[in-house]
Amino acid sequence: MSKLDKNMSLYSSAERWGASFAHSTLLFIGLPLTIILIPIPFSLAPCPVVAYMLARFFRRRNLSWGADQSIQASAIQVLIFLIAGLVVFIDLPRQMDMAIGTSGFLLFLYTLWAAFDTSLGYDFRYVLIGKSVSRVTSANLKRQERRKRWSNES
């Protein structure tokens, strides 16, 4: 066995690709919806929801890394959605509007960096929200989730 084989990622391929997709939903869902002519803040609305649903999927399977990455993706995408709404709906001076819009675009590029890193199996942490989201995810994994039974039995 070579050194490269020994240093393979600790996470499964499905967990890495799922986390990568959660980070890149703005690219794979938000951008196509914008092209289909849905106005910009509304086209970004499904992105954090999809990332959160992926986090729930990982949580139910007790895959903490995938759940943590997906929750981070959901949190940053909510922030991007709010920034887009601020730029579109609030009449700000032109320079402030451009600065806020540019910050939203830079956050979008940051999510693509996160998607690339997680697809390679690296543990990505966003600068300001990474630690707090990690604490929330670990608390959620310890919490017992109620399962709904869909049978007719009482």
Side-chain angles (χ1 to χ4, degrees), residues 124-135:
F124 188 85
R125 295 274 178 248
Y126 287 104
V127 172
L128 297 176
I129 64 170
K131 287 183 182 179
S132 61
V133 168
S134 182
R135 276 186 259 131

Side-chain angles (χ1 to χ4, degrees), residues 18-66:
S20 178
F21 182 75
H23 285 289
S24 61
T25 54
L26 286 169
L27 178 67
F28 292 124
I29 295 174
L31 189 61
L33 287 177
T34 303
I35 292 170
I36 296 174
L37 301 176
I38 297 176
I40 188 71
F42 302 115
S43 63
L44 303 180
C47 299
V49 174
V50 170
Y52 180 75
M53 289 170 59
L54 281 167
R56 293 291 303 236
F57 172 82
F58 287 130
R59 179 178 171 228
R60 286 190 180 127
R61 281 149 188 81
N62 212 14
L63 299 170
S64 62
W65 183 78

Side-chain angles (χ1 to χ4, degrees), residues 68 71 131-141:
D68 184 39
I71 286 292
K131 287 183 182 179
S132 61
V133 168
S134 182
R135 276 186 259 131
V136 169
T137 302
S138 63
N140 280 338
L141 285 170

